[in-house]
Amino acid sequence: MTHVLVSGANGFVGRALGRALVDAGHTVTGLVRLAGRCGDGVNEWVCEGTDFAGVDDAWPQALKPDCVVHLAARVHVMHDDAADPDAAFRATNVEGTLRLAAAAWQHGVRRFVFVSSIKAVAESDRGHPLREDDPAHIEDAYGRSKREAEEALIHYGEETGLDVVIVRPPLVYGPQVRANFLRLMDAIWHGMPLPLGTARARRSLVYVGNLADALVRCASDPRAAHQCFHVADSDDPTVAELAQTLGRHLQKPARLFPVPVGLLRLAGQLTRRSAHVERLIGSLQIDTTRIRSELDWNPPYSADDGLAVTARWYRSTHKGRS
């Protein structure tokens, strides 16, 4: 078994990963800026430096992990109010990542698992499921920062010998999910009509339990060395199918009505929400052949399992009761 340091261990994915690592018998330390919420069995290292400033000097002498899984990041938002979004994303997702990687290497870490994003490749699949070696067609500052971090880490690994493993998930869902996925559940719960009846494009998603399971494998399996992997559930639903399945588990049938996709795109242009509309009606399927073949990995949970757990969490919250 290995000792794994997880940055962002008290976040949405970090908590699931901590549980999965502990359940698999690994020693886990969470690198966090605020104490608490890492979960049972996870030791905490609180390091308050912005963008991992000073992380090398603050590294505890007794902390000797075999692997770092780097989850902490400045995340994608629909309406970014930063004066220079590229600079803001780069400061955390590129410069901060390299600071942590360099500190890890100096303190004996030999594997660094970087949780990137499918946005580091593209926002749409352009007619075939996205593979790890497909040309990049990046559309926003978040995606650019993740791609730049990937490239910088690979270069650093080649210079030093650090084993860099890159994982690119699509949208991650599960209990405590936020942003668009939560808004979709809100809309279904409150019976709002959704103009998605004709949206037939398929989109890859990943249940947080499946992503955590894949990251455990990437942290500990020798075959993952120096690899890049796409990770997703086995099923790629249309947004209409996703809404219908969520409605079934929420016990609130989704109220879908048909609107031509062309009209939805026009509405997005007129309201300056084209990116938001494309995330509902555009196709984004990813190819997970590499991780399945190289690591013999298969998602332990079906999409229906993951959506059922997510809906059950939603029903138990104040949002579900409102």
Side-chain angles (χ1 to χ4, degrees), residues 23 57 124 137 139 148 169 179 194 208 219 226 251 263-264 290:
D23 289 346
D57 292 335
S124 62
H137 296 279
E139 299 182 17
E148 187 176 341
L194 298 170
V208 67
H226 308 291
Q251 301 171 10
L263 284 181
L264 290 175
R290 180 179 291 178

Side-chain angles (χ1 to χ4, degrees), residues 9 26 28 52 54-55 62 124 127 151 155 183 188 194 314:
H26 300 289
V28 187
F52 297 99
V55 67
S124 62
E151 293 171 349
H155 179 68
R183 284 191 281 272
I188 295 169
L194 298 170
Y314 182 91

Side-chain angles (χ1 to χ4, degrees), residues 9-244:
N10 54 6
F12 168 47
V13 177
R15 291 192 298 274
L17 175 58
R19 288 192 300 270
L21 286 165
V22 169
D23 289 346
H26 300 289
T27 301
V28 187
T29 298
L31 170 54
V32 296
R33 293 185 64 186
L34 298 173
R37 299 183 66 199
C38 280
D40 294 341
V42 177
N43 303 308
E44 288 186 352
W45 168 26
V46 178
C47 185
E48 298 177 350
T50 301
D51 300 332
F52 297 99
V55 67
D56 190 9
D57 292 335
W59 196 285
Q61 185 174 2
L63 180 62
K64 299 184 182 300
D66 305 288
C67 174
V68 169
V69 179
H70 183 39
L71 290 166
R74 187 172 196 267
V75 299
H76 171 77
V77 292
M78 288 300 297
H79 303 288
D80 197 333
D81 58 3
D84 185 346
D86 277 283
F89 278 111
R90 187 176 296 112
T92 300
N93 296 350
V94 182
E95 296 165 13
T97 295
L98 286 176
R99 287 191 193 101
L100 181 57
W105 176 251
Q106 291 299 319
H107 290 274
V109 173
R110 290 297 175 263
R111 175 169 291 184
F112 192 93
V113 179
F114 177 59
V115 183
S116 184
S117 167
I118 200 61
K119 287 176 175 288
V121 183
E123 298 270 4
S124 62
D125 59 32
R126 299 176 180 268
H128 73 270
L130 292 173
R131 297 183 293 268
E132 288 84 354
D133 56 356
D134 277 342
H137 296 279
I138 302 168
E139 299 182 17
D140 64 12
Y142 173 73
R144 285 190 290 273
S145 71
K146 285 293 193 177
R147 185 69 177 212
E148 187 176 341
E150 289 182 9
E151 293 171 349
L153 281 172
I154 291 170
H155 179 68
Y156 183 78
E158 291 171 347
E159 284 189 332
T160 62
L162 179 65
D163 173 11
V164 173
V165 180
I166 294 167
V167 178
R168 295 181 184 142
L171 186 150
V172 185
Y173 68 93
Q176 280 80 52
V177 69
R178 293 291 181 261
N180 288 340
F181 202 97
L182 180 59
R183 284 191 281 272
L184 177 60
M185 287 196 290
D186 284 339
I188 295 169
W189 182 266
H190 293 291
M192 294 176 58
L194 298 170
L196 302 171
T198 59
R200 293 289 178 260
R202 297 192 174 275
R203 297 187 70 85
S204 295
L205 310 170
V206 63
Y207 172 53
V208 67
N210 287 334
L211 177 57
D213 187 79
L215 291 174
V216 171
R217 187 73 60 88
C218 289
S220 57
D221 194 320
R223 296 173 296 176
H226 308 291
Q227 293 269 24
C228 176
F229 298 114
H230 288 177
V231 177
D233 291 345
S234 296
D235 302 318
D236 297 335
T238 67
V239 177
E241 291 170 346
L242 174 63
Q244 289 166 344

